[in-house]
Amino acid sequence: MDLVSTALPVGMGMVMLGLGLGLTVGDFARIAHRPRAVLAALLTQLLVLPAVCVGLIYLFGLSPILAVGMMLLAASPGGPIANLYSHLFGGDVALNVSLTAINSVLAIVTMPVIYNFAVLHYAAGDGALGLQFGKAVEVFAIVLVPVAIGMFIRQRRATIARRLDRPVRITSLALVVVLIVAALVQNWEILADNFGHLAGATATFGAVNLALGYSLPRLVSVVHAQAVACSFEIGLHNAVMAIVIARTVIGSEQMALPPAVYTVIQLPLALVFGLVLMKMAATPHATPRAVERPTPIGERP
């Protein structure tokens, strides 16, 4: 196994540990106070996005292995970076924290289900790609165990958790950026051959994610700040999780290319979308009186 594949789980573990350091049991309980926003976000994440992804796969004519990689990306939950974007652009950060927590737990079940569906549909002849029970256990270990450790530290040693939070987040972000760049360089020839299709598919997928993440909650009368939170939670997938599963659990470098290209494209795209949301919020009709004050990062309501 190459250095990138070996180091990626470490980077992923640090990302999820950092997420756990910022979570409490109350973050899971808090979703009961925002049922409409949470339900809208979860239904969009679990049902609408995979359907959108299937359509884009056909539209851009992706090969079976890249199609499975796209579905793996669609199945990945929102990432911790969604909290930062939500904070910058007036979202309800407490809702982001709750959604990230519940989505990360649900991913233990939903990612293997959606992935196995994609393999059966797009690569039925390749039985080696199936995510069997043993590999599903690996997904559990990669995703949930570091989060549980972080939450345990926060519960027992809150002061230590606060001190560790920033350095863990910064270190994990830097490590992940380096590893993603290394993965892209390592697969440059494959990427060059498929970049046109992948860039178009991932950029379209990312833009549709952000738009649906905001508009669908608004259709069911979710207030602006919560819709902004849903938009970034749905629009900024934890692509690192998809890359780790593709490379280290499944053992496919090509399958990791869609989430890697998505990461490069989606962060600036989400920045532009956030500026559009800010402009919308500045107009009198865009922000109803019921809008809640966003909760700053680090605070608990």
Side-chain angles (χ1 to χ4, degrees), residues 120-134:
L120 289 173
H121 186 69
Y122 297 109
D126 194 344
L129 290 178
L131 192 58
Q132 305 302 328
F133 177 76

Side-chain angles (χ1 to χ4, degrees), residues 47-180:
L47 300 178
V48 178
L49 297 193
V52 168
C53 191
V54 168
L56 292 176
I57 288 167
Y58 282 109
L59 179 65
F60 287 91
L62 297 183
S63 66
I65 195 72
L66 295 179
V68 175
M70 279 292 295
M71 291 299 292
L72 193 59
L73 171 64
S76 61
I81 192 69
N83 299 354
L84 174 60
Y85 273 72
S86 185
H87 174 70
L88 290 175
F89 297 112
D92 184 339
V93 179
L95 177 59
N96 277 107
V97 171
S98 301
L99 285 172
T100 299
I102 194 68
N103 264 329
S104 296
V105 174
L106 288 175
I108 303 302
V109 175
T110 58
M111 288 192 77
V113 169
I114 293 175
Y115 169 81
N116 279 318
F117 162 80
V119 170
L120 289 173
H121 186 69
Y122 297 109
D126 194 344
L129 290 178
L131 192 58
Q132 305 302 328
F133 177 76
K135 292 182 178 181
V137 171
E138 289 184 52
V139 175
F140 175 87
I142 290 170
V143 175
L144 202 56
V145 171
V147 173
I149 292 172
M151 291 182 67
F152 179 80
I153 294 173
R154 180 180 175 87
Q155 181 182 8
R156 295 301 181 92
R157 296 288 186 270
T159 302
I160 295 176
R162 283 193 293 269
R163 290 176 181 173
L164 287 175
D165 184 60
R166 183 179 292 273
V168 167
R169 288 176 185 268
I170 293 173
T171 303
S172 61
L173 178 61
L175 179 60
V176 164
V177 169
V178 170
L179 291 172
I180 288 176

